Structures are given as C-alpha cells and as structure tokens.
Amino acid sequence: MEWTPPLIDNNNEKGVKEWSSQTIIGATMSGRRAQANNRIRGPQSALTDFLASNNISAVQIRDEYERRRREAQQQADAEAAANGDVREEVEKEEQEEQERDETPEQKKKRKRQEERAIAKIKQSKDFKRRKARGEEEPDGNDDEIAWDMYAKSKPLPGQLDNCEICDKRFTVTAYSKTGPEGGLLCAKCSKEQEAEKKKVTKPKKPMISRDKRRQTQSKLLDGIVHNGSKSLQELCVEKVADNINDVEEFGDLPPSLLDRLSQILSKRRVISSRTMDLFLRSDLDTVALYDCGKLETEDYVKMFSIVPNLSTLNLRCAGQFKDEVLDYILERDITIHHLQLDAANLVSDSKWRDFLCKRGKYLESLKLSWLDYSMDDETVADLTKGCPNLKRLKLKKCFKIGEQSLNSIASLANLEHLSLRMIQPITCPYVVGLIKKVGSKLRTLSLEHFDQADDTVLKTIHNKCSKLVKFRFTENDYCTDAGFTTLFTNWGNPPLAFIDVNSNRDVDYTNPDGPTEPTGLASSGFKALMNHSRSRLERLDISSCRHITHEAFSEVFDGIKQYPFLKDINVSLLTKIDTPVVAGMFKSCPHLVKLTAFACFNVKDVVVPAGVALIGVPNAQDAIVQGGEYAGEMWGLQDSMGVGFGGDQSMAMHGSLSELQLVA
C-alpha cells in the first residue's frame, strides 16, 4: 500500500510545522531502536570488569602513556640539542680549517659532490619517510632536512675524513673499515684492527653432522680406524651396499671385496635369499655370511649346489641349518676343509657324528659356537676320532660340553690353535691335563671363563707352552698376581703379539681394594707381562684388572720405555688410569692406533696425537680422532678362513698383527 502525505493547506503554516516535527521525532526514535536491536553484546572479560569496578578507563591509560612519551621525547631533544651545539661547533671549525687548506678547484669539486649527495638524499626513501613523519619543525624546508641527513651520513668514497683512532686525514674509499665507535679508519689503522681481530677470534671448528659423528663412532667400536679420505675401492663398495636392491650380480669381484660386502650387508641385516645369490659363483671356494637369520634350509642347500667346490664355509646366526643340509653335503661328496657355524642348533648329535665320521678326515679347522641342543661329550669324542688332521678347534658356549670333552681334545696330535669357552664348571686337573698333552705344539691358546682354574694352570702353561703367539686367559678370580708373575718371568716362550687377560680380579664388591695378596692380574704380574713381550706385543687387553696400581702404569708407560709394535690397548674400567698415564701411552707406543678407555673418568683434556683413535672417554670428545697419515682397519673382520670368534688365527713370528687380522 503506497503511503501519501496528508493534504495540508498552504495557508496553515502551523500545521506544516507540527507535521514535520512529528515525522522527524518518529524517524529518530525508530532509528535508535533499530540500532539498539542491531547492537550485539558479547561477554566482557575479567580485565574489563576490573577496570570498570575501579573507575579506570582506557582513555585515561592512553593519556598517561602519551604524556610519559612526550616528556621522554622532550628530554631526549634537550640532550640532543646540547650535544648538537658542541658538534656543530667542532664541525664548523673543521670545515673552516678544511676550506682554508683547499684550493679554489678543490672547493668547487667539494661543492659539486655535496650537491650531488644532497640530490641523492632527497630521492631516497629515508628522506621521504622522515619528511612524512614530520620530525622537523613545520616551517623547515626540504633543504634543511637533506643537509641534516647529509651531515649525519658517513663520507662517501673520494671524500676526506679523519681517522677515528689516529685522527689522521685520509681519503675515504669503498674499502675503508669502520672503527669501534662507528667512525672510519685509515689504511694503517684498518690493518692493525684486522690483525687484532685475528688474534682474539678463535678459528671455528668444522661442523660435523650428527649422522656422520654416529657413523664414525660406530666404526670405531667395530675396530675400524679410518683417518682422511676413503679409498676409491671403499667408496665403491659402500655405494654398491647402499643400492643392493638394484644389483643383479657382483660379477668377478675378488673374494676380499665379496667378504667386505658381506660384512656391510650383514651389519645392516639385509642378507636374504636374493642377496645370498649375489655371493654365489661356481668358481668360488669360500662363502662367508655373517648374518643368516633370514635364510631358510633350502637356501643352504642351494648354496652347495651353486658352489660345488666349496672348501671354506663361515655362517653366523645359521638357525635354519638343519640335518638336511649335512645330508646334502654327504650325498654330493663335498670336501670342506674349514667350517665355522654359529647357532646351528637344529643339527642333531647323531647327524654331527655321521658327518664327522665320514667327512671329518678332510677338516683342518672347526669352529662351533652357541650350541645348546647338540654337541655333547660323546660327539666331541667322535670328533677327535674322525678328525685326525684337525689343526684349529674352537668350541665356545656349547652348553653340553663338560670335563670329559677336555680329555678327548687332548688326543688331537696336530692341534695348533685351541679356543675354549665353557658353560659347565671345569675343575683344575682337567685343564692341567689338557695343557700337558697339547701345549707343546700350541701357537694359540684361549681359555675363557675357566673360573675354577688356579695358579697350577698358569704354571703348567709356563712349563709346557713354548710356541705361543696369542694368549687369552680371562674371567678368573682364583689365580693370583704371584701366579701371573711366575708365568711371565723367565718364560721360554717368545714374546707374544696378542695378550688378553681381562677380568682377572677379585669379585668381592664389599672389599673394593681386594685382599692383601692381590687376586688376578695386579701390578707385579702386569710389569712381568710387559717386560716379557714388550719387543713384540701388538695388542693388549687388561680391562677390568682393577688391582693394577697407578704407580705400575706410570712405570710401564713412562715415555722412555718403548713398545714399537703396540697398536691396540684396552684399559676400560680401570679407574686409576688418568691423563698423565694416557699421555705416557702415546709417548711409549709410537705406532698406537686405538686406545679404548671406557669408564676411565680421570682422563680429562687429553691431547690425542694424529692418527690415534681414543674411544670411550666422554671428557675428551672434541679430540677423539684427529687427522693423520694413517688410514686403515686395525682389526679386519676376515682372515684366511673367515671371521673367527676370538680371532684364533695363525701367525708367523716375523709377521705383523695386521697379517693376523684378529677379532676380539
């Protein structure tokens, strides 16, 4: 419905005014009601309620802030004006002095440079920003603002300025240095300042990523010491290992590189049925796989079918190596000369006896470890009967082997390398009887965890063993320091290259200093050991022999006595080792490559020579490995017959330890 205004008589002026006022009032009231209805009110905050209750308004707060800011600005302006007067006077005097010294041509040139600088300042963003902020007085013009900015700016290249330090007048260049207080320096003072900075500033250490540091420490714990750049061969081997899933075959790689690839892939736990095929060739006679956890029984059978002339076999974690595999070896008449199996628990005793009886005559080396289901005393007796040519025998952690097995092993006439780690307790007479019968031909003797052996065993070794190159006798708390002293004093055996006598100590934790007569290897025995083998010793492990005194270490490693072939030392858990002793080791062992010192908390801030790896010292992390000429693997993971538990490899007396390639 269209609205029409009422008819009003033009002569009735009063009616028109009343109608207009009523209309305006009605519109205003309706507008206010609309605004009130459209206004949305939300919940008020606790701060708003607090300010309202204390009669505090935001306007009051803003006014107080503006007042304080004005007062601070006025104070700053007053100080700037006071300083500015002095500065203007100084600048005016300098300018007058400069004008007196200038020629008319120089004066014209300076004015032209000033005009160009003023024009450039007027076109800059800082000039426009400062003009927009209104920092200058309202009646100030653009020239005054530009001149003020020009006076505060640094001299441009080509202009003259006074040196901040020596106050010498010089020509500013693009290479002029800034002084301590912001002024420019002349060439002489700039050189002196740079020289001072170089003296004070320490050279930054190169940043090493966390992954690279972790990889380096992992290699050190594996016994790999590699300083400097890697060889091209090592880089290629690692690249192949990184892309093993894309490799179809290794081709005619030599056995040494195949073994290295096997080590890397086994450490990464990627040896599978497909990966295993890469290591198999019909012309090979050696297969070494250090992690066979993913292989099945059929894979082992395929291994012998592809490599029919296999003579050296080294398999670790071979849990699926079963009777069927030995049956296949017997059926195909495969001649194995060197056999090493780890954790082959699914081979029965009867199958072991059958294999040793039929193929044992070809065996020259046998290494078995971690067998808790088979290999008992009767099987060991058949082993000694069926393997007359056996020269190397290693039996470690075979749970069923007891004292009777030692009597059987004593009948091996050609035995040269013997390594035993027993689980069942073995009394002293059986150990003495074994050493009396086979000790005269032994070149390697490793007796671990024979915890009931006493000084009689050490005395028998002293009397019967005269060809040893490697000696390991660990984890014993019956032998005394006097027994070790007797063993190494006037011993007819030539100096040893490898000695491991760790954990020979008293285990009474209530008496940390030990008994009055030291148990295990102590100071006297340690001195006798070093005196006997100092001219030939290459690797020494005396960790956990806690009864050796600090005086004994200081006397042995005094920096004067020399151990020319000593390359690897393990002194972990010997709290008496400190920084001077470690420094003495570095001086007394010129060819030292690796020093392991876990839990030696008194070693601090030691300076590690170039080419030496210091492992296990948290207080010397910045100097664990320093650069040097040496680059190589201290203890390789391979030998002529594969990696050995305990490293019972043979070694000629004139050979080096690197030829022995031991594994701890």
Side-chain angles (χ1 to χ4, degrees):
M1 180 177 179
E2 185 178 359
W3 177 83
T4 57
L7 296 174
I8 301 176
D9 190 0
N10 295 331
N11 297 324
N12 191 356
E13 184 178 355
K14 182 179 181 181
V16 173
K17 292 181 178 179
E18 291 179 355
W19 177 83
S20 301
S21 61
Q22 291 177 359
T23 304
I24 294 172
I25 292 171
T28 303
M29 294 181 63
S30 62
R32 289 178 179 176
R33 286 195 298 270
Q35 291 178 1
N37 293 333
N38 293 335
R39 186 180 297 121
I40 299 175
R41 294 180 177 272
Q44 294 182 349
S45 65
L47 177 60
T48 304
D49 294 339
F50 172 78
L51 296 176
S53 62
N54 289 276
N55 200 19
I56 300 173
S57 65
V59 177
Q60 180 183 357
I61 296 173
R62 184 175 64 253
D63 293 341
E64 289 292 331
Y65 168 72
E66 293 291 343
R67 182 183 59 81
R68 290 194 300 270
R69 192 175 69 170
R70 284 195 302 271
E71 292 177 356
Q73 184 66 31
Q74 291 174 0
Q75 184 179 359
D77 293 341
E79 294 177 355
N83 297 332
D85 295 340
V86 178
R87 181 179 178 184
E88 288 177 359
E89 293 179 0
V90 175
E91 291 178 351
K92 185 176 181 181
E93 293 177 358
E94 292 180 353
Q95 185 175 3
E96 291 176 355
E97 182 180 357
Q98 180 180 354
E99 290 178 354
R100 286 195 300 267
D101 297 338
E102 288 179 344
T103 62
E105 295 179 357
Q106 292 177 344
K107 187 175 181 179
K108 292 180 181 180
K109 182 178 180 181
R110 178 175 56 82
K111 288 185 178 181
R112 287 196 301 269
Q113 291 177 349
E114 290 177 354
E115 291 175 358
R116 286 196 298 268
I118 293 296
K120 188 175 182 181
I121 289 175
K122 288 182 179 181
Q123 296 177 0
S124 65
K125 292 182 179 179
D126 291 339
F127 174 80
K128 296 178 181 178
R129 191 182 301 112
R130 185 170 176 178
K131 184 178 178 181
R133 286 201 304 262
E135 292 183 357
E136 301 298 328
E137 296 180 0
D139 56 349
N141 54 27
D142 295 350
D143 291 338
E144 292 179 354
I145 298 175
W147 272 105
D148 183 66
M149 294 180 65
Y150 174 75
K152 294 180 180 179
S153 64
K154 293 182 180 180
L156 297 175
Q159 296 179 347
L160 297 176
D161 194 15
N162 292 331
C163 177
E164 180 183 310
I165 297 178
C166 66
D167 202 31
K168 179 181 177 181
R169 199 74 170 170
F170 71 99
T171 303
V172 179
T173 66
Y175 305 100
S176 297
K177 303 293 182 181
T178 304
E181 298 180 1
L184 297 179
L185 302 179
C186 63
K188 181 180 178 181
C189 296
S190 298
K191 293 180 180 179
E192 294 177 355
Q193 186 184 40
E194 290 296 326
E196 291 294 332
K197 288 182 179 180
K198 289 181 180 179
K199 292 180 181 179
V200 176
T201 306
K202 295 182 179 180
K204 293 183 179 180
K205 297 180 180 179
M207 298 298 293
I208 302 176
S209 63
R210 182 178 299 179
D211 294 339
K212 187 174 181 179
R213 185 183 294 109
R214 181 181 180 275
Q215 185 178 10
T216 302
Q217 295 301 315
S218 177
K219 289 183 177 181
L220 289 176
L221 292 177
D222 288 341
I224 301 175
V225 180
H226 196 114
N227 295 324
S229 301
K230 297 180 181 179
S231 63
L232 179 59
Q233 184 183 88
E234 184 69 17
L235 291 173
C236 293
V237 170
E238 292 181 357
K239 181 60 67 174
V240 171
D242 293 338
N243 301 274
I244 190 63
N245 293 327
D246 300 328
V247 178
E248 296 181 357
E249 62 176 11
F250 286 153
D252 297 331
L253 286 180
S256 59
L257 293 184
L258 288 176
D259 189 76
R260 181 59 183 153
L261 281 168
S262 177
Q263 296 169 20
I264 297 175
L265 298 178
S266 297
K267 185 176 181 179
R268 299 179 184 181
R269 302 189 65 84
V270 295
I271 297 292
S272 60
S273 178
R274 177 193 171 279
T275 313
M276 182 197 71
D277 294 342
L278 301 175
F279 295 93
L280 305 181
R281 294 203 314 261
S282 59
D283 60 323
L284 294 177
D285 60 354
T286 301
V287 173
L289 301 176
Y290 305 108
D291 181 18
C292 304
K294 297 182 180 180
L295 301 184
E296 300 295 336
T297 306
E298 295 76 10
D299 297 324
Y300 297 111
V301 174
K302 180 173 63 174
M303 181 186 303
F304 290 102
S305 63
I306 297 177
V307 190
N309 299 321
L310 188 62
S311 63
T312 301
L313 180 64
N314 183 3
L315 302 176
R316 306 292 184 86
C317 302
Q320 296 300 316
F321 194 95
K322 300 180 181 179
D323 290 354
E324 292 84 341
V325 182
L326 291 181
D327 288 336
Y328 186 86
I329 295 174
L330 295 175
E331 292 175 0
R332 296 300 180 96
D333 197 19
I334 298 175
T335 303
I336 299 179
H337 298 289
H338 307 283
L339 176 63
Q340 179 169 356
L341 294 177
D342 173 63
N345 287 303
L346 298 183
V347 180
S348 61
D349 279 310
S350 59
K351 187 54 61 180
W352 274 122
R353 294 168 193 158
D354 187 20
F355 171 76
L356 295 172
C357 180
K358 296 180 180 179
R359 313 302 301 172
K361 59 184 178 180
Y362 301 108
L363 281 177
E364 299 178 8
S365 173
L366 179 63
K367 301 179 183 181
L368 303 175
S369 58
W370 286 104
L371 300 179
D372 55 5
Y373 173 73
S374 58
M375 193 58 61
D376 54 12
D377 290 338
E378 185 177 353
T379 306
V380 174
D382 292 343
L383 183 153
T384 56
K385 295 177 182 178
C387 305
N389 300 319
L390 199 63
K391 296 181 180 180
R392 186 188 302 270
L393 177 63
K394 179 183 294 187
L395 299 175
K396 295 202 171 184
K397 294 187 177 181
C398 298
F399 287 68
K400 291 187 175 183
I401 293 178
E403 294 177 337
Q404 296 300 323
S405 296
L406 268 64
N407 291 334
S408 302
I409 295 173
S411 62
L412 292 173
N414 297 319
L415 196 61
E416 296 180 359
H417 307 274
L418 177 63
S419 297
L420 298 175
R421 182 182 178 90
M422 312 300 289
I423 300 298
Q424 297 184 16
I426 306 295
T427 57
C428 189
Y430 288 92
V431 183
V432 172
L434 173 64
I435 296 173
K436 285 183 177 180
K437 293 184 179 180
V438 300
S440 59
K441 294 184 178 181
L442 288 181
R443 300 175 61 195
T444 297
L445 177 60
S446 176
L447 302 176
E448 298 181 69
H449 199 62
F450 282 79
D451 52 2
Q452 297 187 19
D454 55 16
D455 291 346
T456 308
V457 176
L458 298 179
K459 186 177 181 180
T460 306
I461 296 174
H462 177 87
N463 296 331
K464 295 295 183 180
C465 299
S466 59
K467 297 181 180 180
L468 291 182
V469 175
K470 171 185 174 181
F471 175 65
R472 174 182 280 128
F473 187 82
T474 64
E475 301 176 57
N476 178 272
D477 58 348
Y478 269 75
C479 296
T480 64
D481 185 44
F484 282 100
T485 304
T486 302
L487 170 63
F488 291 104
T489 302
N490 297 325
W491 190 10
N493 195 87
L496 298 169
F498 179 102
I499 299 177
D500 183 3
V501 287
N502 75 84
S503 303
N504 288 296
R505 77 275 188 255
D506 181 56
V507 292
D508 185 5
Y509 300 107
T510 60
N511 184 17
D513 295 331
T516 305
E517 183 180 357
T519 300
L521 182 68
S523 300
S524 178
F526 177 60
K527 294 178 184 178
L529 181 154
M530 298 304 291
N531 288 332
H532 173 267
S533 301
R534 60 181 297 182
S535 63
R536 190 67 187 87
L537 187 60
E538 299 189 22
R539 184 173 183 186
L540 175 66
D541 189 348
I542 54 174
S543 59
S544 297
C545 297
R546 59 191 182 96
H547 301 306
I548 304 176
T549 63
H550 181 273
E551 290 74 13
F553 284 118
S554 301
E555 180 181 345
V556 171
F557 299 106
D558 57 359
I560 300 175
K561 298 183 180 68
Q562 294 293 304
Y563 307 92
F565 296 101
L566 191 53
K567 298 180 180 179
D568 186 2
I569 305 176
N570 188 354
V571 292
S572 300
L573 302 172
L574 301 181
T575 56
K576 298 180 178 64
I577 297 288
D578 59 4
T579 303
V581 173
V582 173
M585 292 180 181
F586 294 149
K587 292 181 181 180
S588 297
C589 308
H591 294 93
L592 187 65
V593 175
K594 179 181 175 185
L595 175 60
T596 307
F598 287 101
C600 296
F601 300 110
N602 293 324
V603 180
K604 300 177 181 179
D605 302 327
V606 63
V607 179
V608 183
V612 178
L614 178 60
I615 303 173
V617 181
N619 298 324
Q621 286 295 323
D622 293 337
I624 281 190
V625 178
Q626 295 189 4
E629 297 291 335
Y630 178 84
E633 296 181 9
M634 256 300 290
W635 315 114
L637 295 180
Q638 76 251 4
D639 55 21
S640 59
M641 52 171 297
V643 175
F645 256 77
D648 301 331
Q649 288 81 357
S650 61
M651 169 181 165
M653 290 305 298
H654 60 277
S656 65
L657 189 59
S658 58
E659 295 171 355
L660 186 59
Q661 295 189 348
L662 303 171
V663 176

